[in-house]
Amino acid sequence: MDKRNIEELLEFFWMQREDGKTQLDKILDSKGEKVKTSEIDYLVKAGFLKIEESCIYFLTKGETIARRIIRGHRLAERLFTDVLGLDIRTIESNACKFEHIVHDEVAEAICTLLGHPKECPHGRPIPQGECCLKTTKEIARIILPLSEMPFGQRCKVVYITTGHLHRLNRLSSLGVMPGVVVSLRQRFPTPILDVEHTQIAIEEEILKDIYVRRIN
Ligand SMILES: [Zn+2]
Ligand SMILES: [Zn+2]
């Protein structure tokens, strides 16, 4: 069995466990076509899984791999939906490819960029990485929505998440796009934004769509 097959199967068992299914016959029943007894035997012999009283359990070696794959998959899903604004129904196959090639450092960078999300867009938990454990209150998130920035804080636009094309177009016609320096001048009654050397008024709603990084 090649590395990718092993990873796919371990990922499958991880999801089964999340759904409360560890009994071998139930797993084989529900997805008989997806996993074969011979494959389970292989994973047991190779020290990824063990079977006790007809239930499947992860051994450390298998748990570590499954955790990494699941984490990569779910972070990719968040990246594709939150940052790239892609439809959740169209991202599955890309997330499946991504999960096998993403290195731990890349996963950490994505996780940090996204503010250490706890769940994927389907509501399943994202296993934490070292980056999430290191994050304490005093280490501020690197990238925040503009709505959470204090007045006058100069920041650089990193990405804009709005799913509304007309909003995105309007923002870019006003000069608000990734790489541009902005700061919030006032919040009420209408948010006013300094963009380079001009001031623009935008809707409160849109502040949440503009993700920025603090600069000095
Ligand atoms: Zn998901
Ligand atoms: Zn993290």
Side-chain angles (χ1 to χ4, degrees):
M1 214 183 294
D2 68 13
K3 180 169 167 280
R4 177 149 184 165
N5 274 328
I6 294 171
E7 289 175 351
E8 291 286 351
L9 284 165
L10 293 173
E11 179 181 31
F12 169 73
F13 290 121
W14 180 286
M15 304 224 352
Q16 293 292 303
R17 186 177 65 180
E18 276 180 349
D19 293 338
K21 282 189 231 152
T22 53
Q23 264 185 300
L24 201 48
D25 51 352
K26 278 198 189 137
I27 292 174
L28 287 168
D29 268 0
S30 63
K31 279 272 186 198
E33 76 289 355
K34 174 137 189 179
V35 50
K36 301 187 199 82
T37 323
S38 61
E39 293 173 326
I40 297 178
D41 287 347
Y42 176 91
L43 294 175
V44 169
K45 282 206 190 85
F48 293 107
L49 302 173
K50 67 172 179 182
I51 297 179
E52 260 176 36
E53 296 176 357
S54 319
C55 288
I56 291 193
Y57 298 97
F58 278 104
L59 293 172
T60 311
K61 188 172 149 191
E63 174 104 19
T64 307
I65 294 173
R67 190 185 163 83
R68 203 189 66 231
I69 296 294
I70 291 280
R71 179 167 154 78
H73 184 108
R74 294 180 182 169
L75 283 173
E77 288 180 334
R78 284 232 77 107
L79 181 72
F80 296 155
T81 54
D82 295 1
V83 180
L84 304 180
L86 299 175
D87 187 319
I88 187 148
R89 287 163 301 181
T90 64
I91 59 172
E92 182 59 24
S93 68
N94 282 314
C96 283
K97 283 180 209 138
F98 196 82
E99 71 194 17
H100 300 282
I101 52 167
V102 63
H103 291 277
D104 284 354
E105 309 89 79
V106 177
E108 292 220 343
I110 296 169
C111 193
T112 305
L113 172 79
L114 298 173
H116 309 283
K118 297 219 168 0
E119 286 183 351
C120 81
H122 303 95
R124 286 188 178 257
I126 300 176
Q128 287 192 312
E130 300 225 344
C131 58
C132 315
L133 304 174
K134 267 186 263 167
T135 307
T136 53
K137 276 201 180 123
E138 59 275 16
I139 306 172
R141 282 187 290 152
I142 299 175
I143 294 170
L144 298 172
L146 193 52
S147 53
E148 292 178 29
M149 279 289 170
F151 294 116
Q153 170 67 52
R154 276 164 38 88
C155 25
K156 194 172 257 192
V157 177
V158 179
Y159 59 88
I160 297 169
T161 65
T162 182
H164 308 277
L165 197 58
H166 68 274
R167 275 192 189 169
L168 207 56
N169 289 337
R170 194 176 146 245
L171 283 173
S172 70
S173 73
L174 292 168
V176 182
M177 53 186 90
V180 164
V181 175
V182 297
S183 68
L184 195 56
R185 171 176 290 263
Q186 78 168 40
R187 190 74 181 263
F188 301 105
T190 308
I192 304 270
L193 208 55
D194 285 333
V195 184
E196 309 280 332
H197 300 294
T198 42
Q199 290 176 14
I200 59 164
I202 59 172
E203 293 108 87
E204 176 74 25
E205 270 279 289
I206 297 180
L207 289 182
K208 295 193 208 91
D209 292 336
I210 304 172
Y211 281 76
V212 294
R213 180 201 295 271
R214 224 179 270 264
I215 54 171
N216 298 319

